[in-house]
């Protein structure tokens, strides 16, 4: 398998190599990078390019590793027993397969996305070591042993909110997605807006990178936020000259700046720049 850029997703050569290496080694691909750099999108595009199912396990702060295997609904079984239902005689009626179970038993080799693993408890990755390494687990309630028919392609994303355990990292192929340069961003934008004027795109990228370079910025705007901002500029018919003439906050700044501290910082710097010019 050789994964590369698609008609709707631009992938850097280093990232394409990482994807292909992880698939060859049959190890989970651990992706880190700024939010909005396309980590989740990569798994979606990988599944689409291979023509295989995508199973997405969205991790939250309350997610437990067991939920990825299966969940046993003891409450429903108790209720059914009180109602005299015949279902209670088969405990498998109360076993709900999780995303790993679905991936292991899929008829076609799927892409399994474990999204934002760093949001979970620190023990969460360790609790999945055996299952991701051996591709099997035991169902205690039924005595079944669930073993993968074929190893799914596993993509794990992290926004670096927590450090991951060394034992878990050893079992992964790691890649950090660097923020795209201007040329790559230009290619990405043209995938979404193929008819955008070159001058508008160039001016918008200059403004965008100027904002990202500001000192003490609490949240740097991401690729996805650039795409949103450009959509607004196109809808409102805001041209490159209007962007250059802007003396304060850039038009539609709410797409790029996401908290009041950053808005105040940009306003302050723009005010100081005007004073120096006068």
């Amino acid at each position: 398998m050789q994964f590369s850029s698609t008609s709707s997703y631009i992938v850097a050569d280093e990232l394409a190599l990482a994807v292909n290496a992880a698939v060859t080694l049959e190890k989970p691909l651990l992706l880190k990078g700024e939010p909005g750099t396309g980590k989740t999108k990569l798994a979606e595009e990988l599944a689409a390019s291979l023509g295989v199912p995508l199973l997405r396990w969205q991790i939250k702060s309350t997610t437990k590793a067991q939920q990825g295997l299966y969940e046993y609904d003891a409450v429903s079984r108790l209720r059914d027993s009180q109602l005299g239902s015949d279902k209670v005689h088969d405990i498998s009626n109360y076993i709900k397969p999780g995303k790993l179970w679905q991936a292991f038993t899929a008829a076609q080799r799927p892409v399994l996305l474990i999204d934002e693993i760093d949001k979970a408890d620190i023990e969460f990755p360790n609790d999945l070591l055996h299952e991701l390494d051996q591709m099997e687990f035991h169902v205690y309630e039924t005595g079944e042993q669930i073993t993968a028919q074929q190893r799914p392609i596993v993509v794990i994303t992290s926004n670096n909110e927590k450090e991951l355990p060394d034992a878990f990292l050893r079992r992964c192929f790691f890649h950090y997605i660097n923020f795209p340069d201007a040329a790559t961003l230009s290619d990405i934008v043209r995938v979404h807006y193929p008819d955008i004027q070159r001058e508008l795109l160039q001016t918008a990228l200059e403004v965008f990178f100027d904002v990202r370079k500001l000192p003490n910025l609490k949240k740097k705007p991401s690729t996805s936020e650039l795409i949103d901002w450009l959509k607004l500029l196109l809808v409102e018919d805001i041209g490159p000259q209007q962007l250059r003439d802007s003396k304060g906050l850039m038009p539609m700044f709410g797409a790029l700046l996401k908290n009041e501290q950053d808005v105040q910082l940009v306003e302050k710097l723009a005010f100081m720049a005007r004073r120096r010019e006068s």
Side-chain angles (χ1 to χ4, degrees):
M1 188 204 82
Q2 293 296 316
F3 178 67
S4 58
S5 297
T6 67
S7 60
S8 58
Y9 185 79
I10 302 297
V11 56
D13 292 341
E14 297 84 1
L15 179 54
L17 286 172
V19 173
N20 296 323
V23 173
T24 299
L25 294 172
E26 295 189 325
K27 289 193 171 189
L29 173 62
L30 174 60
L31 294 176
K32 290 187 179 183
E34 291 183 33
T37 50
K39 299 184 294 295
T40 300
K41 183 69 173 174
L42 179 135
E44 297 171 355
E45 292 295 331
L46 177 58
S49 68
L50 296 175
V52 301
L54 172 68
L55 298 174
R56 178 173 178 174
W57 186 14
Q58 182 65 54
I59 307 303
K60 301 178 181 179
S61 60
T62 56
T63 303
K64 302 300 181 184
Q66 178 65 32
Q67 294 171 299
L69 308 181
Y70 67 92
E71 293 183 88
Y72 169 51
D73 192 350
V75 174
S76 292
R77 192 181 187 207
L78 175 62
R79 184 188 64 239
D80 288 345
S81 67
Q82 293 171 339
L83 296 175
S85 173
D86 291 336
K87 289 174 58 179
V88 298
H89 302 300
D90 185 356
I91 197 171
S92 64
N93 290 323
Y94 306 95
I95 302 292
K96 180 182 178 182
K99 295 299 182 182
L100 267 72
W101 186 329
Q102 296 172 37
F104 288 0
T105 58
Q108 187 179 14
R109 185 188 193 189
V111 172
L112 172 63
L113 170 62
I114 304 177
D115 210 10
E116 299 185 331
I117 193 172
D118 52 321
K119 287 191 179 300
D121 183 86
I122 189 63
E123 291 303 319
F124 179 90
N126 282 332
D127 291 341
L128 289 176
L129 287 179
H130 174 80
E131 289 75 15
L132 290 177
D133 192 32
Q134 301 300 316
M135 289 288 161
E136 63 179 12
F137 63 89
H138 186 72
V139 183
Y140 296 99
E141 289 79 4
T142 65
E144 295 176 87
Q145 187 74 12
I146 305 300
T147 303
Q149 298 178 16
Q150 60 263 318
R151 294 183 76 94
I153 299 171
V154 181
V155 178
I156 303 172
T157 71
S158 170
N159 290 325
N160 259 348
E161 291 187 11
K162 295 189 186 81
E163 288 295 326
L164 299 175
D166 288 346
F168 181 81
L169 294 175
R170 284 199 303 271
R171 289 164 169 81
C172 298
F173 188 92
F174 170 76
H175 182 76
Y176 185 89
I177 301 180
N178 290 310
F179 196 83
D181 58 19
T184 304
L185 266 185
S186 180
D187 291 338
I188 293 172
V189 169
R190 290 193 180 281
V191 167
H192 295 270
Y193 311 117
D195 299 325
I196 190 170
Q197 294 179 0
R198 178 176 298 182
E199 187 180 1
L200 173 60
L201 176 56
Q202 181 178 346
T203 305
L205 287 176
E206 290 172 0
V207 173
F208 176 77
F209 278 108
D210 283 346
V211 172
R212 282 186 57 86
K213 291 175 185 175
L214 291 177
N216 302 319
L217 197 68
K218 188 172 182 180
K219 183 193 177 304
K220 295 181 180 181
S222 66
T223 305
S224 60
E225 288 160 339
L226 170 65
I227 299 299
D228 290 342
W229 183 50
L230 286 170
K231 180 178 181 179
L232 293 174
L233 296 184
L234 292 170
V235 168
E236 297 297 327
D237 197 23
I238 296 173
Q241 193 60 46
Q242 288 175 266
L243 288 181
R244 287 192 289 265
D245 291 343
S246 177
K247 298 300 184 183
L249 290 166
M250 69 290 293
M252 303 296 171
F253 64 87
L256 297 180
L257 305 174
K258 297 302 176 72
N259 59 68
E260 61 275 16
Q261 295 97 317
D262 288 346
V263 172
Q264 292 169 2
L265 173 64
V266 174
E267 285 182 320
K268 179 181 178 181
L269 292 174
F271 173 75
M272 294 171 64
R274 289 197 301 272
R275 289 194 62 179
R276 286 195 297 268
E277 293 173 359
S278 61

